[in-house]
Amino acid sequence: MTQITPMMKQYLEIKAQHQDAFLFFRLGDFYELFFEDAKLAAQELEITLTGRGQGEDRIPMCGVPHHSADQYMSRLIEKGYKVALCEQVEDPKEAKGVVKREVVKMLTPGTMMNGNVIKEKENNYLVALTSFKDQSFGLARTDLTTGECAATLISKDLEDVIHDIASSNAKELVVASNLDETILKKIQEKCSVTISFEDQVELDPRYEDLCVDLQSEKLRESFARLLQYLIRTQKRSLNHLQKVTYYHSDLFMKMDTHTKRNLELTESLREKKKAGSLLSIVDKTVTAMGGRLVKNWLERPLIDQSAIDGRLEIVSAFLESYFEREELRDELRHVYDLERLAGRIAYGSVNARELVQLKRSLEKVPVLKQLVGKMVPTSKNHWFTEEERVFELIDLLDRSLVEEPPISVTEGGMIRSGFHEELDTYRDASKNGKQWIAELEQKERQETGIRSLKIGFNKVFGYYIEVTKANMHLLPEGRYERKQTLTNAERYITPELKEKEALILEAEEKMEQLEYDLFVLVRDEAKQYLEYIQTLAHSISEIDVLAGFATVSEQRHYIRPVFSKKREISIIDGRHPVVETVIEKGQYVANDVHMKKGREMLLITGPNMAGKSTYMRQLALLAVMAQIGCYVPATSCEIPIFDQVFTRIGAADDLASGQSTFMVEMLETRYALTKATQNSLILLDEIGRGTSTYDGMALAQAIIEYIHDTVRAKTLFSTHYHELTQLDQELEDLQNVHVSAVEENGTVVFLHKVIDGQADRSYGIYVAELAELPSQVTERAEALLKQYEGSAVSTKAPSTNQPEPKVTLIDQQLTLFEEDTTKENKVKANLSGQEDKVIKKLVKKDVLHMTPIEAIQFVNELQRLLK
Ligand code: ADP
Ligand code: MG
């Protein structure tokens, strides 16, 4: 560039300090972007790229009008970008040279207070990660919209760090600029977060109070990084931040991202939607706050039994009183998002309409308190203390604000009359002025004789007298001064009107200013109640969630789980909470789970589509439901408290992730095997599938043995390798179970019933028939199967003596081939080796429908087998 203007120089200086953000540079009524920012923004926002300057020096540029800038910025934030908002900080009229400009605020995905990024029923977390010399990590997080703050330490394990970040669904991650790049890369592989840097970890003394509960210097440092980033980017009061709570991940049931995804806790595997997830079942909340809390609970089930029982106790109290509960939920529907309102009050961004929403919500407190009091015994009811503060705040808001104030806080119309004497005087003056004008209109009409004459007002010209062109000649000379000409009319002003106008406008301007000042006063007064509002918000969200648990438990006939001290599982008639709602009513087949000494591990076999995966997930979901304090779908359920749950799905089944490589499967399995304890639950679904048969089978066996002998976690292992079922003879705590299917009159019926003993065969070919593969294919497969079975040394353990249950459900029916298998078995008993195979082939063949060529080939094949 040959020469730069002083303004460009200013731009470049500011941009240099905000490399990682779009710099929105205020120029008059626009925000302009230049250079690379402009090119990228033009693309992302689909706006026109223009330029500034001439020829070679032309600088790429694009801009958005300042009044609609919010919407553009919010679109960039949604895409994970950051924006630095640069304003003119002095009056251009008074500036010598270039107007002074400064970045007044950074907008980032993790620090947004409103806009599309903020989802009503989701938290918006900003997380700071600090890596210490001793290889431990500190994590601090906040949701700026609610003020919630928390911090924890994790020793050594980066995977745990990643799972923590992922489970808070963080939008933005703040790290030191010298953080090890490999760490950053690993995090970015697993979580889609915007990365920001902050090197200052000295705690700002103004916020000392927030950290009183943090015991260690490391925790303080971790939080300080977060805080400093907020201070630097927000450049405003952060006094709605709540005390930082220390959380230890050992206080919650741990589930890594794979597990959560596979169990479809908060979103479905395929569509990534809430529908089809466990959340969609147990979330019966009616407030946004409750919606966020229940999601958080699902992300972090409890492991402290008394805390869990505390929740269950309330659910059972709510369950017993249908009418009060429904009334309670009806009342809750009128409660606004207090948590976020509190955030906006503190931030100074709340408007009068929202303060009235606050008031309406607070007015519900007495009735909520009364209803909860009716249901919950006093010893368990720790909500709604300090009720008098509610009344104080209601009183303040009620005295000061009208019932339906406008959204704008600068145009008046917010403050109730009687609240402030001076305001009332102005209002009278303005009202009188308007009255005077109405009278003037009458007077002018009479004096001029023009009946269509009218007095109007607009923002540019103020008050005017309007006369149509046809009547203009009727106006007397002198008094009327022409002000504006329209096509059909002329607008005038008179000295009298001018004088009154000045008075009215002055009163109105003063009124608006005064209203704004009074509003700020009220808002600041409301700030005194912040902590109280936050506590209230928390109580209400808890009540909302628990009342929701009671509601779903009643609707779906759940029962209260009991926790086993002996680490035994005994579930009678358990159901999968989601699947039972999507299949036809009454068609779900309930299943028992019994796991204890002698059967700590269940090896599950059974045909494809029989319900193996469903059965496994059902157990994990019941555990999660129990540990968040919800009732569970079963007729009785005794279950230990699990410290961790792991779910691994064989690669072939895990297509949804787009990472269906065998390596990933093994890495994830390694994680489960090294992290699990005997208090954990492991679900391994068809592990070993992603490689060749013997390879996979060998691995599967080795994994089973390792868990059995070393890890000792409660484990469900489903497999299509029937050879593995013989393991129960060597492994004391392994039990074979299978999902039954029966053949009846040449059809296969899936019973979805899990019973002891291994399945007979894999029924894959029947499923292929079900899928209507060409019969040539299925017949050939049938033949091949016989061939393989004939050649392999039978490893099958003797068939189980379990009686087959009665057929209760005919879900899928498949026509088998004509031959009766028992006949074949007799043949099989008398022959062996290749002859066996040949005979079988011959018996099986539909000779009458063969072409001569096929017949020749067939005979040829048989001959080859015998040679
Ligand atoms: P597998 O893992 O054995 O191949 P899945 O668990 O995926 O089988 O189940 C296949 C389908 O069978 C499910 O989508 C569901 O519709 C149905 N199903 C599974 N378990 C049950 C059950 N207990 N009762 C009724 N239907 C079931
Ligand atoms: Mg399966």
Side-chain angles (χ1 to χ4, degrees):
M1 216 177 306
T2 40
Q3 72 197 66
I4 24 177
T5 63
M7 193 202 75
M8 259 304 139
K9 185 163 171 280
Q10 181 189 41
Y11 171 87
L12 290 170
E13 278 167 14
I14 297 175
K15 178 66 199 175
Q17 287 163 17
H18 298 92
Q19 303 277 16
D20 62 341
F22 283 103
L23 183 61
F24 273 54
F25 194 73
R26 182 70 179 262
L27 271 179
D29 282 341
F30 278 79
Y31 289 106
E32 302 288 2
L33 295 100
F34 300 106
F35 302 105
E36 293 307 309
D37 273 9
K39 288 190 203 159
L40 188 56
Q43 205 179 358
E44 293 282 15
L45 297 173
E46 291 166 16
I47 52 178
T48 319
L49 184 68
T50 60
R52 194 180 172 90
Q54 296 301 324
E56 276 181 22
D57 290 346
R58 195 171 157 86
I59 297 167
M61 170 177 114
C62 66
V64 299
H66 84 101
H67 59 81
S68 59
D70 272 356
Q71 135 205 4
Y72 289 106
M73 293 191 279
S74 136
R75 266 161 64 190
L76 289 173
I77 306 297
E78 250 178 286
K79 292 172 183 243
Y81 295 111
K82 290 176 250 180
V83 170
L85 198 61
C86 180
E87 294 286 1
Q88 301 173 167
V89 292
E90 63 180 346
D91 190 336
K93 280 176 236 144
E94 286 159 26
K96 298 191 193 95
V98 183
V99 186
K100 222 171 129 197
R101 289 187 177 81
E102 266 173 29
V103 170
V104 296
K105 183 182 182 183
M106 295 283 301
L107 293 101
T108 72
T111 61
M112 291 299 279
M113 291 295 285
N114 47 32
N116 297 341
V117 196
I118 305 300
K119 303 273 179 294
E120 193 185 310
K121 287 196 161 193
E122 275 174 37
N123 280 107
N124 197 59
Y125 284 120
L126 172 73
V127 174
L129 168 68
T130 305
S131 150
F132 297 101
K133 281 207 187 70
D134 62 359
Q135 293 186 332
S136 63
F137 296 95
L139 280 168
R141 66 159 193 260
T142 185
D143 178 346
L144 212 52
T145 62
T146 64
E148 165 198 336
C149 294
T152 190
L153 292 176
I154 292 176
S155 55
K156 302 216 164 62
D157 205 320
L158 183 60
E159 308 227 31
D160 288 347
V161 172
I162 293 171
H163 292 316
D164 193 277
I165 296 171
S167 56
S168 57
N169 202 356
K171 298 276 168 49
E172 187 177 356
L173 182 70
V174 182
V175 298
S177 52
N178 63 358
L179 181 78
D180 187 346
E181 263 184 40
T182 54
I183 294 184
L184 208 50
K185 235 175 92 197
K186 278 197 186 142
I187 294 173
Q188 280 174 306
E189 266 167 27
K190 293 275 171 69
C191 324
S192 71
V193 286
T194 300
I195 303 290
S196 300
F197 299 102
E198 177 61 58
D199 290 317
Q200 168 72 270
V201 290
E202 214 73 7
L203 191 67
D204 187 314
R206 285 177 296 168
Y207 297 96
E208 219 20 85
D209 283 356
L210 293 179
C211 295
V212 288
D213 293 340
L214 299 187
Q215 304 294 340
S216 86
E217 195 44 47
K218 281 186 189 169
L219 279 172
R220 289 166 62 89
E221 206 173 291
S222 309
F223 180 68
R225 183 183 308 283
L226 183 81
L227 183 66
Q228 289 303 332
Y229 178 74
L230 289 177
I231 294 174
R232 188 162 62 76
T233 57
Q234 300 307 295
K235 303 178 196 293
R236 68 196 301 172
S237 133
L238 295 168
N239 55 11
H240 73 302
L241 291 186
Q242 305 174 33
K243 244 186 245 160
V244 189
T245 51
Y246 169 71
Y247 71 97
H248 196 306
S249 48
D250 286 352
L251 296 177
F252 302 103
M253 175 203 269
K254 279 196 230 168
M255 287 176 284
D256 53 57
T257 21
H258 268 254
T259 301
K260 284 179 181 167
R261 221 185 46 206
N262 280 321
L263 292 179
E264 308 189 290
L265 287 191
T266 58
E267 59 181 31
S268 64
L269 206 52
R270 254 172 224 133
E271 302 189 328
K272 307 249 171 283
K273 294 253 171 64
K274 181 176 167 186
S277 69
L278 180 58
L279 179 62
S280 73
I281 303 290
V282 298
D283 178 4
K284 289 277 176 279
T285 60
V286 296
T287 69
M289 305 174 270
R292 289 194 296 271
L293 188 68
V294 67
K295 186 158 185 264
N296 282 345
W297 281 7
L298 263 185
E299 298 277 2
R300 296 187 162 84
L302 300 174
I303 55 171
D304 175 46
Q305 187 175 340
S306 65
I308 300 172
D309 279 332
R311 287 182 189 173
L312 286 168
E313 207 66 48
I314 310 281
V315 173
S316 94
F318 282 162
L319 252 175
E320 277 161 26
S321 347
Y322 175 81
F323 290 106
E324 282 84 358
R325 184 180 80 236
E326 282 310 305
E327 207 181 326
L328 176 74
R329 280 158 46 86
D330 273 343
E331 296 294 346
L332 283 173
R333 280 177 233 273
H334 302 289
V335 177
Y336 289 86
D337 195 338
L338 291 178
E339 247 178 333
R340 285 196 167 143
L341 282 176
R344 295 171 65 77
I345 291 172
Y347 232 55
S349 56
V350 76
N351 61 40
R353 189 174 289 181
E354 290 165 329
L355 284 182
V356 172
Q357 293 176 349
L358 172 65
K359 183 187 80 176
R360 302 233 166 93
S361 309
L362 295 172
E363 283 169 347
K364 292 289 168 198
V365 168
V367 59
L368 293 178
K369 180 174 175 162
Q370 188 216 356
L371 285 167
V372 171
K374 273 196 204 166
M375 292 182 272
V376 179
T378 336
S379 60
K380 302 274 175 220
N381 187 347
H382 54 277
W383 299 302
F384 304 122
T385 50
E386 293 186 84
E387 204 183 2
E388 62 293 346
R389 301 218 67 196
V390 174
F391 295 123
E392 279 169 34
L393 187 51
I394 293 178
D395 179 58
L396 167 74
L397 299 172
D398 199 44
R399 274 187 297 119
S400 56
L401 301 173
V402 299
E403 287 305 313
E404 285 181 20
I407 289 177
S408 162
V409 295
T410 53
E411 288 165 24
M414 302 175 284
I415 305 291
R416 211 188 264 285
S417 58
F419 181 66
H420 195 264
E421 208 172 315
E422 195 184 341
L423 179 66
D424 290 349
T425 330
Y426 286 136
R427 275 198 181 143
D428 283 347
S430 143
K431 208 156 98 198
N432 291 341
K434 284 185 180 144
Q435 176 68 26
W436 182 90
I437 289 198
E439 282 161 15
L440 180 71
E441 193 175 65
Q442 284 307 316
K443 205 176 82 184
E444 292 284 343
R445 280 183 191 165
Q446 274 167 10
E447 283 176 10
T448 58
I450 309 173
R451 272 192 296 160
S452 64
L453 175 149
K454 61 182 184 205
I455 297 185
F457 176 83
N458 74 29
K459 280 206 166 141
V460 184
F461 294 104
Y463 285 97
Y464 53 79
I465 298 173
E466 187 175 297
V467 179
T468 55
K469 292 239 159 100
N471 288 320
M472 266 165 61
H473 64 279
L474 291 172
L475 290 182
E477 289 288 311
R479 224 155 57 81
Y480 295 85
E481 184 188 324
R482 195 169 295 197
K483 212 170 173 185
Q484 192 191 5
T485 305
L486 309 179
T487 335
N488 295 321
E490 206 66 38
R491 288 174 175 177
Y492 301 91
I493 185 119
T494 64
E496 209 184 356
L497 184 56
K498 223 178 197 164
E499 191 183 315
K500 208 66 187 184
E501 176 191 87
L503 284 175
I504 294 174
L505 291 186
E506 191 194 306
E508 270 175 9
E509 195 175 302
K510 281 201 179 133
M511 215 156 71
E512 280 172 8
Q513 183 59 45
L514 183 58
E515 280 218 36
Y516 179 74
D517 293 345
L518 290 171
F519 168 72
V520 171
L521 216 71
V522 173
R523 189 180 69 198
D524 287 347
E525 183 68 24
K527 249 186 216 179
Q528 310 298 317
Y529 294 84
L530 272 187
E531 237 185 281
Y532 179 71
I533 301 172
Q534 281 161 345
T535 315
L536 200 59
H538 198 75
S539 305
I540 290 177
S541 35
E542 255 178 34
I543 291 169
D544 191 13
V545 174
L546 293 168
F549 284 176
T551 302
V552 63
S553 300
E554 183 172 78
Q555 286 170 351
R556 304 210 167 276
H557 309 289
Y558 293 171
I559 50 96
R560 182 170 172 169
V562 177
F563 296 102
S564 160
K565 297 252 185 304
K566 291 183 289 181
R567 295 198 292 114
E568 294 183 354
I569 300 179
S570 170
I571 295 172
I572 310 286
D573 286 340
R575 281 127 46 208
H576 187 298
V578 183
V579 175
E580 76 162 337
T581 67
V582 296
I583 64 177
E584 233 176 282
K585 203 164 185 281
Q587 296 294 284
Y588 193 84
V589 179
N591 268 306
D592 300 351
V593 187
H594 295 285
M595 296 177 84
K596 55 185 176 208
K597 187 85 201 104
R599 46 190 304 149
E600 302 280 2
M601 291 181 90
L602 303 182
L603 185 70
I604 310 171
T605 45
N608 238 324
M609 290 296 289
K612 298 184 296 298
S613 302
T614 309
Y615 180 74
M616 297 172 79
R617 291 194 176 116
Q618 175 180 312
L619 175 59
L621 291 178
L622 258 59
V624 169
M625 290 171 87
Q627 287 179 238
I628 60 174
C630 186
Y631 279 25
V632 297
T635 50
S636 96
C637 171
E638 185 173 359
I639 197 167
I641 290 179
F642 290 110
D643 63 349
Q644 306 174 80
V645 173
F646 300 91
T647 313
R648 293 296 177 262
I649 310 290
D653 260 10
D654 191 18
L655 296 174
S657 77
Q659 284 192 304
S660 41
T661 69
F662 186 61
M663 184 62 183
V664 173
E665 179 184 329
M666 286 298 111
L667 278 172
E668 294 297 327
T669 307
R670 189 228 1 129
Y671 184 78
L673 295 191
T674 50
K675 292 281 169 179
T677 71
Q678 60 174 5
N679 295 318
S680 308
L681 174 65
I682 304 180
L683 311 181
L684 296 176
D685 196 350
E686 314 244 4
I687 283 296
R689 241 182 130 129
T691 182
S692 70
T693 309
Y694 285 110
D695 206 16
M697 201 156 77
L699 265 168
Q701 175 165 351
I703 289 169
I704 292 172
E705 287 170 358
Y706 181 78
I707 295 176
H708 181 272
D709 298 340
T710 312
V711 182
R712 312 222 29 86
K714 291 266 183 310
T715 304
L716 299 184
F717 195 110
S718 77
T719 186
H720 60 291
Y721 298 127
H722 289 271
E723 294 80 350
L724 294 177
T725 53
Q726 64 180 341
L727 279 173
D728 73 333
Q729 297 174 359
E730 295 151 39
L731 303 179
E732 183 187 341
D733 285 322
L734 181 91
Q735 170 69 41
N736 284 322
V737 300
H738 71 284
V739 195
S740 56
V742 290
E743 294 176 25
E744 280 201 340
N745 308 325
T747 63
V748 172
V749 179
F750 290 159
L751 299 174
H752 300 309
K753 196 79 186 169
V754 179
I755 47 185
D756 280 4
Q758 76 264 29
D760 298 343
R761 53 188 301 180
S762 95
Y763 296 87
I765 294 168
Y766 305 135
V767 174
E769 284 178 4
L770 171 71
E772 291 181 4
L773 254 66
S775 57
Q776 248 174 307
V777 173
T778 45
E779 277 166 23
R780 171 72 179 141
E782 190 72 48
L784 286 171
L785 177 65
K786 296 261 165 356
Q787 193 174 320
Y788 298 149
E789 282 179 349
S791 64
V793 186
S794 176
T795 51
K796 273 189 198 164
S799 159
T800 155
N801 299 325
Q802 281 279 333
E804 291 285 353
K806 256 184 35 213
V807 180
T808 51
L809 172 95
I810 300 184
D811 176 332
Q812 330 264 18
Q813 298 206 328
L814 312 162
T815 313
L816 291 180
F817 45 85
E818 255 78 279
E819 279 74 20
D820 182 355
T821 37
T822 49
K823 239 185 265 162
E824 259 189 272
N825 287 343
K826 276 182 218 138
V827 178
K828 190 171 164 187
N830 300 328
L831 291 161
S832 65
Q834 297 301 82
E835 288 163 7
D836 174 13
K837 236 187 275 176
V838 170
I839 302 277
K840 272 202 288 178
K841 271 182 174 293
L842 202 53
V843 171
K844 173 84 187 21
K845 204 69 186 179
D846 183 3
V847 182
L848 291 181
H849 289 93
M850 285 171 108
T851 64
I853 300 280
E854 280 170 357
I856 292 171
Q857 281 174 343
F858 184 59
V859 175
N860 186 37
E861 195 194 339
L862 295 184
Q863 211 174 35
R864 195 175 46 77
L865 284 171
L866 291 174
K867 273 182 186 163

